[in-house]
Amino acid sequence: LWRLGYCARLLKTNHFRTAASNTSFPAVWMLLAQYSGRIPGLFVVVKKNTFFTMPETVEDKANPELYLPHPGVRGMTLLNREAFKRTVVVPALKVKKDIVNSVLKSLKQSVLQRPGLKRVVEDPEDEDSRFVILDPHKIPEFSLGESEQQVLKQLNVHPEVSKYNLELTYENFKSEEILRAVLPEGQEVTSGFSRVGHIAHLNLRDHQLPYRHLIGQVIMDKNPGITCVVNKTNIIDSTYRNFEMEVLAGENNLVTKVKENNIAYELDFSKVYWNPRLSTEHSRIVELLKPGDVLFDVFAGIGPFAIPAARRKCRVFANDLNPDSYTWLLHNCKLNKVDTKVKAFNMDGRDFLRGPVREELSKELPLLKEEQKTAFHIVMNLPALAVEFLDVFRHLLVGEPCSPAGLPTVHCYGFSKHSNPARDIQERAEASLGTSLAGHCSAFPVRNVAPNKEMLCLSFQIPADVLYKRPCP
């Protein structure tokens, strides 16, 4: 046993060397073979010459890196799928083929569960038997526990665990495992992305850029339906809310279709702004609206607030400065058959508020009666700048204020890096409005944009003293 342990250590050490330099390896294997007939559990299932020709064969007990690709792929920038092949030694049970299903059910906690890998393989030496592959992390010492042995005893299966050479290929590895094996050790791996129809949108860090085309190809390979992968190459343009991007893999087709909250949209991702992470927020605001309400969407984009509001039987006035967003807004209104319920504008946000919004409010608010329940909502979803537009509401209307219930409700979005984001965005809004909102507003956290950078929605009714300019006597 001592000699066997010593030889096993030699075997574990030498498998990292090349076959040419591994002069002691055959002798070690012969010594192990000499004892294999006398020591239970040392039966090894291998193909001829496997151990001598494949130095990447790894037998690792309870090693979390057991399923990592071949170490030779480190630093690869042009994807070579063949280089990821690797053979690992895993535990296996030899059972008669007619009771394979019973064994799988009885040992479901110990059987290999990795997607894409077969749990049952043929026995090349016995057509009436099969090998059930076990999870090496659950059977680290290549021996079953007492409970598993009792189960096998009831099924008349010999509890001896064999060692099986399992070949892993590029298809068997997850995208994160592939990228972790390729990128330099210790560097952050990006495997997450935003999906916009058939497009995967990445935000790569500087250290990942040399590997960007490989990363793009891996993302496309591992995610069915993705046929184009892009990387943002600069920050969002504050004027049109779009950004330059580079196609990393796949077809150069950035016109796509998306579905959000059961509503279909079409867009050119390179020319308009679309963020799939905002679907919950879009739904939250629309749920506040009732049939007959009026929505003014100051920075409407392609219509994620406007179109569902129109389908809710609201009257909608939607605006966007970007001519491409305006074009796709009109297109999506027709696509969803709400083009008669949405009035679309292609204007600067301030001009939209001082023009169509002021005109509509001046006409509608004086006619409101106490029993009427029409509500006016103004959505300002331009987080980088929207707070700065709030000064437009100062004395936007002239005359006597309407009833407090009829005052428009503003939903203004903003970013904050402050330790108290809610207080920060409220104070900035108060500075633009020239009044206090204490006790009359709510700040809703939308999402974490980056470390120490929050996106929030500040909702409040415009105070009458801010909105109205009373005529001189």
Side-chain angles (χ1 to χ4, degrees):
L1 286 174
W2 178 87
R3 292 176 65 193
L4 175 59
Y6 174 74
C7 295
R9 287 195 294 274
L10 281 178
L11 174 63
K12 188 173 181 180
T13 301
N14 287 326
H15 89 271
F16 288 103
R17 303 176 186 169
T18 62
S21 64
N22 194 0
T23 55
S24 63
F25 198 60
V28 172
W29 172 244
M30 291 300 294
L31 184 57
L32 285 175
Q34 175 182 347
Y35 285 91
S36 63
R38 291 180 246 170
I39 301 177
L42 201 59
F43 174 71
V44 183
V45 181
V46 294
K47 297 179 182 178
K48 186 177 181 181
N49 293 330
T50 298
F51 278 96
F52 302 103
T53 60
M54 298 186 67
E56 66 273 23
T57 300
V58 177
E59 178 183 340
D60 223 335
K61 297 180 180 180
N63 188 346
E65 299 182 353
L66 180 66
Y67 292 126
L68 288 183
H70 191 282
V73 302
R74 180 77 66 192
M76 177 187 294
T77 56
L78 184 64
L79 184 61
N80 176 10
R81 296 175 181 84
E82 289 296 313
F84 286 83
K85 283 186 177 180
R86 182 174 207 180
T87 301
V88 294
V89 179
V90 295
L93 270 178
K94 183 175 181 177
V95 301
K96 293 296 182 182
K97 65 179 182 181
D98 55 347
I99 62 168
V100 164
N101 288 334
S102 298
V103 172
L104 289 175
K105 290 179 181 178
S106 301
L107 297 180
K108 60 183 178 181
Q109 299 298 327
S110 301
V111 172
L112 184 68
Q113 300 289 346
R114 189 175 175 86
L117 291 179
K118 292 182 178 180
R119 296 181 296 170
V120 180
V121 295
E122 294 184 357
D123 182 352
E125 298 178 357
D126 184 357
E127 62 180 18
D128 293 327
S129 297
R130 297 290 184 268
F131 282 104
V132 175
I133 307 300
L134 304 177
D135 188 338
H137 297 121
K138 303 288 180 62
I139 316 294
E141 300 295 332
F142 287 84
S143 60
L144 294 168
E146 290 186 11
S147 59
E148 290 91 349
Q149 291 187 34
Q150 288 295 328
V151 169
L152 294 178
K153 186 177 181 180
Q154 294 174 5
L155 296 171
N156 293 321
V157 176
H158 195 283
E160 182 181 47
V161 177
S162 305
K163 297 180 180 180
Y164 185 84
N165 269 20
L166 181 65
E167 184 177 77
L168 302 176
T169 66
Y170 174 81
E171 286 71 26
N172 301 132
F173 297 112
K174 302 172 186 177
S175 56
E176 186 174 348
E177 293 170 336
I178 291 172
L179 298 181
R180 187 178 291 114
V182 169
L183 268 64
E185 289 187 80
Q187 290 193 355
E188 182 184 359
V189 173
T190 296
S191 58
F193 58 89
S194 295
R195 181 164 184 168
V196 182
H198 67 275
I199 303 168
H201 169 220
L202 304 174
N203 290 322
L204 296 181
R205 305 291 179 88
D206 289 342
H207 71 270
Q208 298 163 341
L209 293 179
Y211 308 91
R212 62 189 184 279
H213 294 292
L214 180 144
I215 293 173
Q217 189 63 54
V218 171
I219 294 296
M220 195 165 69
D221 288 347
K222 298 297 179 179
N223 295 275
I226 295 293
T227 58
C228 176
V229 182
V230 300
N231 178 47
K232 184 173 71 173
T233 56
N234 70 345
I235 61 173
I236 294 177
D237 185 289
S238 59
T239 304
Y240 287 165
R241 289 200 297 174
N242 54 14
F243 44 78
E244 295 179 10
M245 59 183 70
E246 177 187 11
V247 176
L248 303 181
E251 59 185 2
N252 190 4
N253 174 21
L254 297 175
V255 175
T256 188
K257 299 178 182 180
V258 296
K259 198 167 186 178
E260 180 183 274
N261 301 323
N262 296 316
I263 298 177
Y265 301 89
E266 296 180 353
L267 60 125
D268 184 337
F269 190 55
S270 65
K271 296 181 179 179
V272 304
Y273 179 80
W274 180 265
N275 190 336
R277 294 186 177 95
L278 295 177
S279 61
T280 302
E281 180 62 14
H282 295 152
S283 177
R284 184 183 75 87
I285 295 297
V286 173
E287 287 292 325
L288 300 176
L289 308 177
K290 297 179 177 61
D293 286 353
V294 180
L295 174 69
F296 300 101
D297 195 349
V298 185
F299 311 105
I302 66 168
F305 287 113
I307 291 172
R311 291 184 60 172
R312 207 173 174 86
K313 298 182 180 180
C314 297
R315 288 189 294 131
V316 179
F317 297 77
N319 170 73
D320 203 281
L321 177 62
N322 182 353
D324 291 297
S325 294
Y326 171 74
T327 300
W328 285 105
L329 172 63
L330 295 176
H331 173 82
N332 287 308
C333 287
K334 289 182 180 178
L335 181 67
N336 290 281
K337 301 179 181 179
V338 294
D339 48 308
T340 59
K341 300 177 182 178
V342 177
K343 291 185 179 181
F345 302 85
N346 180 206
M347 307 170 67
D348 176 79
R350 290 180 180 274
D351 295 335
F352 175 65
L353 290 168
R354 289 171 176 155
V357 175
R358 178 182 356 209
E359 181 181 342
E360 192 65 22
L361 291 177
S362 298
K363 183 173 62 175
E364 293 282 343
L365 292 182
L367 301 178
L368 282 182
K369 297 179 181 179
E370 290 293 337
E371 64 272 13
Q372 286 183 322
K373 297 184 179 180
T374 300
F376 297 85
H377 292 263
I378 302 173
V379 174
M380 305 176 69
N381 185 18
L382 183 63
L385 295 173
V387 174
E388 299 175 15
F389 282 71
L390 294 177
D391 64 337
V392 176
F393 294 117
R394 292 188 184 188
H395 297 169
L396 183 67
L397 304 180
V398 176
E400 288 298 322
C402 66
S403 66
L407 292 170
T409 298
V410 174
H411 308 282
C412 180
Y413 292 83
F415 294 132
S416 176
K417 295 183 178 181
H418 197 273
S419 58
N420 188 336
R423 186 178 67 187
D424 174 50
I425 194 170
Q426 178 181 328
E427 289 177 351
R428 285 157 51 203
E430 290 172 340
S432 292
L433 292 168
T435 191
S436 171
L437 295 175
H440 301 285
C441 68
S442 62
F444 184 84
V446 177
R447 70 187 188 98
N448 180 260
V449 179
N452 301 318
K453 184 177 181 181
E454 298 289 335
M455 177 179 174
L456 301 95
C457 175
L458 186 73
S459 296
F460 60 91
Q461 274 193 301
I462 308 174
D465 290 343
V466 173
L467 184 61
Y468 283 91
K469 179 180 180 182
R470 301 184 182 227
C472 294

